[in-house]
Structures are given as C-alpha cells and as structure tokens.
Amino acid sequence: MLSQQTIDIVKSTAPVIANAGPAMTAHFYERMFQHNPELMDIFNLSHQHSGRQREALFNAVHAYAANIDNLAVLLPAVEKIAHKHASFQITPAQYDIVGTHLLATIDELLSPGQEVLDAWAEAYGVLAQVFINREAEIYDQSAETEGGWRGTREFELIEKQAESELITSFVFQPVDRGPVAAYQPGQYLGIHLKPEGFEYQEIRQYSLSSAPQADRYRISVKREDGGKVSNYLHHELKIGDKVKLVPPAGDFHLKRQNGQPVTLISAGVGLTPMLSMLESLLDHDAPVNWLHAAENGRVHAYGDQVQQLANEHAHIRSTVWYREPSDEDRQQERYNFTGLMDLNEVRDQIDGPQMQFYFCGPLAFMQHVAAQLDAMGVSKDRMHYECFGPHKVI
C-alpha cells in the first residue's frame, strides 16, 4: 500500500517526467544496456531501433503515474504486459535491474532530489511486485497444465508451407514427443532463437494459427523487409531444425458463449489469430463472419482453406476485400469487394446487439475498423483486438 505522501509526490512530478518524454526513455535504455548488456538477449532490438519499445515504456510510466491512486484502472494493461513478459521469461531479478536504471535516469536527467527519488522507488516497487506476482501465476499455470512446462522446451520443425508470397506456416513438435499444452484461440507462442550468425538471442511472439492440437503447434509468419527473425525463419530454418519455445500466452483470445454471434476481422498477417478462432468455431451454434482484407491474391494467405470451411459450415460466411486485385484475381473471383474494407457493405451480416468483434492487422487498419464499428454504435466491450508488437490503444 502506497503512502499518501508517495502518491502526492508521484502525481505532482509526473508532468515533469512526461515532458522529458523520449529523451528519458532513450537515456534509460542506453544506460541499462551499457551496464547490463545481458539484457540485449531479452529485449527486441528492432523495436529499440524503431522507437516502439521506448514509446511503450514512456506510455506505461505515464499511465502508472497518472493512475497511481486508482490502480484498478491499470489491471487490463497489467494483464497484457504480464503475458508478454512471461513469453520473454522475465525474472524478479530483472525487475530490480530495470528499477535501478529507471531511478538513475530520473536522477541524472531531472535531479529532483532524494524525496522524489524515494517516492518513485516506492511506487516502482509496488508496481513491480504486482507484475512479479501475476507472472509467477502464469508460469505456475503453464507448468501445471497437461502438456505444459516451465521455461523453454526444445521443439523440432516438422512442416513448413508457403501460404502466400509473404506468409509461411511452421509446425513444431516437441523433441521429447510428449503432449503440448492447450491454449485459448488467439494466443501466441514465444520462440527463442540464437542460431549461428546472431549476435544476441532473439525472442519473438507469433500467433498460433490453428485450433489447439494435442502434439504440435502451428504459427504463420510474415516475412518482413529487414526482419531478422522472419527472414531467418523463411529462408534458413529447415525441416528437422530445433528451436526453443515457451508455453502459449496472451490475453487476447476468443471468449466463446453459446448463442453469441462472432465476427472475425483481419488484414494481412493479422489473420493468424483469427484462423485459430475460426477453426475453434466450426461447431458454433451462432453465425460466424470472416472478414479479411489483402492487397491481392498473391499475398492473401489461407484464402482457399477459409472458403472451404465456409462452404462446409452453413453458419460461417467469408467476405474478402482486395485493395488492388490482379487480372487473375478478377478471373478467378477470389474476392467480394475492392478497395479498403467498408463494413457498411456487410452491415446486414454483422449488425446486432449480441455480435462480438475480434480484429487484428496493421495499426491503421484496426483504427479504421474501430472507427467504423463505433459509428455503427458498437460498444467498446464488444470490440476485442490485438496489436503485434508494443500495445497501443485504438
């Protein structure tokens, strides 16, 4: 429990730290990596270079300070971050390291005095313990689940299939050939890699792209221009190669209820968690809408498979938008609409007070979808979404 004095000090100094903005987070990360270079095996360095991780840290610190007297507001964000940390296998000792460098950064950039530093130290300690406790629960749950484990586990690549010009699927089976933990459709799998040629270990999370299976996991990965890990997976990882995986995690997942209709909305590789949800809804007793947007048929993954599922199950309807269809796309009628996704074109399918919406894709796409749903009167509690990389509120 924080003292009122600590709460008052943190809230009063939060605007000063907010004004420091990116300079503070840049100083923090540079300082931490200089003194604790081993953490470069943990943090996603591509997010460091792009500034996305630094922005996420700044937003988290600011949100915590602004709501320090009402921490219940932060619980959804805590849950999301705790799952991500569990995928990175974050330890209590690493919270101590982060706290040391955060306080040193505040001192070195702002020189606020010992009273302020002590207040922020107390506040950070409380928040860190919240995360440590929740992550311990996630670790325990993963280990105690049938087929589950703690830490990393060695898996072998047993299938590799190009699904489009940009997306390839990878199927992994445990080397020990034991069962694997089930997961909630929409969750992701953590992969820890340090092959020859990698200076640091690289950790990524990729959405599981099929319904749960007893002895294997499937992910589907988009090859990114300049993406170190995605290009390694696409071009170098071969059948029989071994990787280290951590148990499935993530707070974005299907919340299935009998009689409740569902609409799955995606663009590009954002279809991966939606595929897991769709395959888990084949016996659903209410309508399921699959809405997907792609540039064209060359980059549209799983199009034939989804259409086949829709053909075989009367409660599933698939609608596809191509922004710039090719002549071949037109000839083969691979899509329903052209241009950007316009939900008004399928409003009769998706309207209704019980409809639940799950969506994933590029940030601008999700903002576009959220704005349309809002205009249609859809309440926020019926919108569920996932951002790849550091989370953003849309």
Side-chain angles (χ1 to χ4, degrees):
M1 187 73 175
L2 293 172
S3 67
Q4 188 59 48
Q5 181 181 13
T6 292
I7 292 173
D8 292 341
I9 291 174
V10 169
K11 288 183 74 72
S12 66
T13 55
V16 178
I17 290 177
N19 288 336
M24 185 187 78
T25 51
H27 185 90
F28 163 78
Y29 278 112
E30 289 167 6
R31 189 184 203 283
M32 184 173 67
F33 289 146
Q34 179 183 358
H35 289 84
N36 295 93
E38 72 276 9
L39 293 185
M40 297 179 80
D41 279 332
I42 303 296
F43 285 83
N44 185 329
L45 297 184
S46 67
H47 287 166
Q48 289 295 315
H49 299 319
S50 69
R52 295 171 68 190
Q53 187 64 58
R54 297 180 181 193
E55 179 187 0
L57 174 66
F58 171 74
N59 290 339
V61 171
H62 186 263
Y64 177 50
N67 295 283
I68 195 169
D69 52 353
N70 185 20
L71 294 183
V73 174
L74 301 177
L75 291 180
V78 167
E79 185 69 5
K80 186 173 294 294
I81 295 170
H83 275 271
K84 186 62 69 73
H85 284 180
S87 189
F88 281 95
Q89 296 291 288
I90 299 300
T91 67
Q94 289 165 342
Y95 278 99
D96 292 339
I97 293 172
V98 168
T100 295
H101 295 297
L102 180 62
L103 292 172
T105 295
I106 294 173
D107 187 28
E108 291 165 3
L109 291 188
L110 303 176
S111 302
Q114 194 60 47
E115 185 179 45
V116 172
L117 291 175
D118 289 344
W120 275 91
E122 182 186 353
Y124 174 81
V126 168
L127 181 63
Q129 197 59 53
V130 169
F131 278 110
I132 289 169
N133 292 344
R134 178 63 185 120
E135 288 156 24
E137 291 174 352
I138 295 172
Y139 292 141
D140 288 344
Q141 182 179 6
S142 295
E144 294 165 4
T145 298
E146 182 178 358
W149 69 96
R150 185 184 296 272
T152 60
R153 182 178 176 187
E154 194 170 43
F155 280 69
E156 177 184 349
L157 180 66
I158 61 170
E159 296 177 24
K160 182 177 181 179
Q161 175 67 44
E163 308 294 354
S164 75
E165 289 186 357
L166 293 177
I167 296 174
T168 294
S169 61
F170 303 83
V171 178
F172 298 102
Q173 196 169 47
V175 171
D176 60 25
R177 292 301 186 260
V180 300
Y183 54 89
Q184 297 292 329
Q187 291 189 302
Y188 49 74
L189 191 66
I191 181 168
H192 292 224
L193 296 166
K194 194 176 182 181
E196 186 176 352
F198 277 33
E199 184 176 3
Y200 302 104
Q201 174 181 253
E202 298 285 351
I203 303 174
R204 297 292 187 273
Q205 294 81 32
Y206 294 111
S207 296
L208 289 143
S209 60
S210 71
Q213 301 179 65
D215 65 342
R216 65 194 61 198
Y217 293 125
R218 186 181 77 180
I219 60 174
S220 302
V221 180
K222 178 186 177 185
R223 175 176 48 79
E224 302 283 357
D225 290 339
K228 187 170 187 177
V229 172
S230 67
N231 277 277
Y232 168 78
L233 293 174
H234 275 246
H235 299 308
E236 298 185 45
L237 193 70
K238 304 182 298 297
I239 300 296
D241 284 351
K242 310 296 192 300
V243 300
K244 292 181 179 179
L245 302 180
V246 298
D251 72 318
F252 173 71
H253 54 79
L254 180 67
K255 301 171 180 65
R256 174 173 169 169
Q257 294 185 29
N258 289 336
Q260 190 172 69
V262 175
T263 294
L264 308 174
I265 308 174
S266 59
V269 76
L271 58 70
T272 52
M274 302 303 153
L275 277 170
S276 179
M277 294 183 188
L278 182 67
E279 291 187 5
S280 301
L281 290 167
L282 298 184
D283 63 346
H284 197 46
D285 59 355
V288 175
N289 298 298
W290 173 273
L291 311 181
H292 182 66
E295 287 294 299
N296 51 55
R298 293 191 302 275
V299 296
H300 181 193
Y302 294 102
D304 292 339
Q305 294 93 320
V306 169
Q307 188 56 55
Q308 182 176 346
L309 292 177
N311 293 340
E312 295 172 351
H313 299 84
H315 68 292
I316 296 176
R317 295 184 65 176
S318 171
T319 307
V320 174
W321 283 257
Y322 281 177
R323 196 173 72 86
E324 294 185 351
S326 66
D327 291 339
E328 183 180 358
D329 294 331
R330 296 186 183 93
Q331 292 168 4
Q332 298 190 12
E333 299 180 345
R334 292 174 171 170
Y335 61 97
N336 303 96
F337 299 104
T338 59
L340 299 178
M341 183 179 288
D342 182 354
L343 297 183
N344 285 313
E345 292 172 314
V346 292
R347 184 161 186 160
D348 61 326
Q349 294 175 219
I350 65 176
D351 213 0
Q354 299 302 315
M355 184 69 71
Q356 297 293 314
F357 297 88
Y358 295 83
F359 50 104
C360 186
L363 180 61
F365 168 80
M366 292 199 295
Q367 291 171 332
H368 175 66
V369 167
Q372 292 183 75
L373 293 176
D374 185 64
M376 292 170 60
V378 176
S379 57
K380 295 294 185 183
D381 64 314
R382 292 195 286 134
M383 300 185 204
H384 318 280
Y385 63 93
E386 174 85 311
C387 292
F388 292 159
H391 183 70
K392 290 179 179 288
V393 176
I394 64 173

